[in-house]
C-alpha cells in the first residue's frame, strides 16, 4: 500500500539555520503530496502542497519540490525562526487529494534562539 | 468560516464508560475524516465519509468504535465501552473533492482512566 517515510526527529537547530526535513513516498499511482505543520495543542495545518511531478509548493518561506524520479518531497527553509518550532508531517493522497491522506510519522523541530 | 469544530476539547472518563466525540465540518465540504493520534502509532485514519456515507472504515480498531454522520454538518465518533488504550487525541478533518488538502479541527484529547 501507499506509505510515507520521514527523517526521524527530533531535529534541533539554531535560529537562522538552514532546514531540510527529508520525505520519501511509495505509491501505486500519481499522488498529490503535502506538508502539514502541527503547533503544540493544535490540529494539523496545511503548509504547502504539490500535485504533479516537478511542482514546487511554497508557503511562509518553506518550500518542497515533487521529485517523481526519486519519489521525494523534502521540506526546506533557508532561515528558520523560533516560531517554526512544531511537528511537521509529510503526507500523500491518491486520486486528486479528495480521498484519504497517508501521513508520515512526523518530525519534531525545535529552534533555539 | 469558523473552521472544523470539535467538542469537547478534553474528555476524561472512566474505563467502561461510553464516550462520544463530536465534529462539525466546514460548510460545503463533502468529505469528513476521523483520525487518532498517539505517540506510539502516530496519525491513524479511522474512518471517512463522502456526502454523509461511510466510505472506508477499515481503520476502526474494533467493534467498540462506531461513527455516524446523520447530516452534512455533524458527525460523531463513539467508543463503548472505553478502555485506557483508547487514550489519544482524536482529530476530525474535512475537505472539498479537489487537491487543496484537509482542514483539521483542534482535536479532542481523550483520557480513559
Amino acid at each position: 500500500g501507499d506509505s510515507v517515510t520521514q527523517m526521524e526527529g527530533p531535529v534541533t537547530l539554531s535560529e537562522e539555520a538552514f532546514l531540510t526535513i527529508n520525505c520519501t513516498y511509495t505509491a501505486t499511482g500519481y499522488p498529490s503530496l503535502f506538508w502539514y505543520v502541527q503547533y503544540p495543542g493544535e490540529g494539523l495545518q496545511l503548509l504547502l502542497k504539490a500535485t504533479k511531478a516537478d511542482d514546487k509548493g511554497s508557503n511562509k518561506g518553506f518550500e518542497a519540490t515533487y521529485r517523481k524520479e526519486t519519489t521525494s518531497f523534502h521540506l526546506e527553509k533557508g532561515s528558520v525562526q523560533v516560531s517554526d518550532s512544531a511537528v511537521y508531517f509529510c503526507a500523500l493522497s491518491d486520486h486528486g487529494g479528495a480521498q484519504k491522506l497517508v501521513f508520515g510519522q512526523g518530525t519534531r523541530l525545535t529552534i533555539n534562539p | 468560516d469558523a473552521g472544523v469544530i470539535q467538542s469537547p476539547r478534553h474528555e476524561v472518563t472512566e474505563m467502561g464508560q461510553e464516550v462520544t466525540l463530536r465534529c462539525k465540518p466546514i460548510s460545503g465540504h463533502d468529505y469528513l475524516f476521523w483520525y487518532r493520534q498517539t505517540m506510539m502509532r502516530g496519525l491513524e485514519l479511522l474512518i471517512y465519509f463522502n456526502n454523509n456515507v461511510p466510505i472506508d472504515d477499515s481503520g476502526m480498531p474494533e467493534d467498540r468504535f462506531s461513527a455516524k454522520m446523520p447530516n452534512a454538518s455533524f458527525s460523531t465518533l463513539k467508543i463503548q465501552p472505553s478502555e485506557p488504550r483508547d487514550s489519544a487525541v482524536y482529530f476530525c478533518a474535512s475537505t472539498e473533492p479537489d487537491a487543496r488538502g484537509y482542514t483539521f479541527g483542534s482535536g479532542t484529547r481523550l483520557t480513559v482512566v
Side-chain angles (χ1 to χ4, degrees):
Chain A
D2 296 347
S3 66
V4 175
T5 302
Q6 292 179 233
M7 65 184 290
E8 288 194 22
V11 174
T12 302
L13 296 172
S14 297
E15 206 165 21
E16 299 184 1
F18 184 85
L19 168 71
T20 300
I21 301 178
N22 290 337
C23 171
T24 57
Y25 67 90
T26 302
T28 53
Y30 297 97
S32 295
L33 301 174
F34 305 84
W35 277 100
Y36 281 80
V37 58
Q38 184 179 29
Y39 299 102
E42 298 183 13
L44 281 71
Q45 302 174 25
L46 179 63
L47 180 59
L48 53 85
K49 68 179 181 75
T51 58
K52 62 183 187 297
D54 300 325
D55 268 3
K56 178 184 283 187
S58 62
N59 186 25
K60 299 181 181 179
F62 291 90
E63 46 181 48
T65 302
Y66 190 142
R67 300 289 187 198
K68 185 169 178 292
E69 64 277 11
T70 54
T71 62
S72 65
F73 193 55
H74 304 322
L75 182 68
E76 296 181 336
K77 187 174 185 181
S79 177
V80 292
Q81 305 300 313
V82 172
S83 57
D84 294 327
S85 299
V87 181
Y88 292 81
F89 292 89
C90 186
L92 68 81
S93 177
D94 268 329
H95 310 297
Q99 301 197 15
K100 57 185 181 182
L101 282 173
V102 175
F103 286 92
Q105 69 271 35
T107 302
R108 182 174 298 277
L109 173 67
T110 300
I111 307 300
N112 293 321
Chain B
D1 196 318
V4 176
I5 299 172
Q6 291 187 246
S7 63
R9 286 298 307 272
H10 303 276
E11 177 79 38
V12 180
T13 191
E14 292 186 346
M15 183 174 62
Q17 296 298 304
E18 177 179 295
V19 176
T20 299
L21 311 181
R22 298 173 176 79
C23 175
K24 176 179 168 52
I26 291 174
S27 177
H29 282 192
D30 297 335
Y31 288 82
L32 183 140
F33 305 81
W34 282 100
Y35 280 85
R36 179 172 67 176
Q37 185 179 37
T38 61
M39 288 293 292
M40 291 297 294
R41 301 171 72 96
L43 273 165
E44 303 173 277
L45 176 65
L46 301 177
I47 185 171
Y48 77 95
F49 297 83
N50 179 212
N51 291 321
N52 313 337
V53 177
I55 303 300
D56 183 353
D57 66 353
S58 59
M60 296 286 262
E62 48 199 270
D63 292 346
R64 298 184 298 105
F65 285 69
S66 63
K68 294 182 180 180
M69 192 165 186
N71 57 62
S73 59
F74 184 65
S75 177
T76 59
L77 178 68
K78 185 176 294 186
I79 308 172
Q80 166 64 18
S82 58
E83 297 182 3
R85 61 191 168 122
D86 301 330
S87 297
V89 181
Y90 291 81
F91 288 104
C92 176
S94 69
T95 189
E96 299 171 286
D98 61 19
R100 297 181 187 178
Y102 298 177
T103 300
F104 279 80
S106 298
T108 295
R109 181 175 295 278
L110 173 65
T111 304
V112 183
V113 297

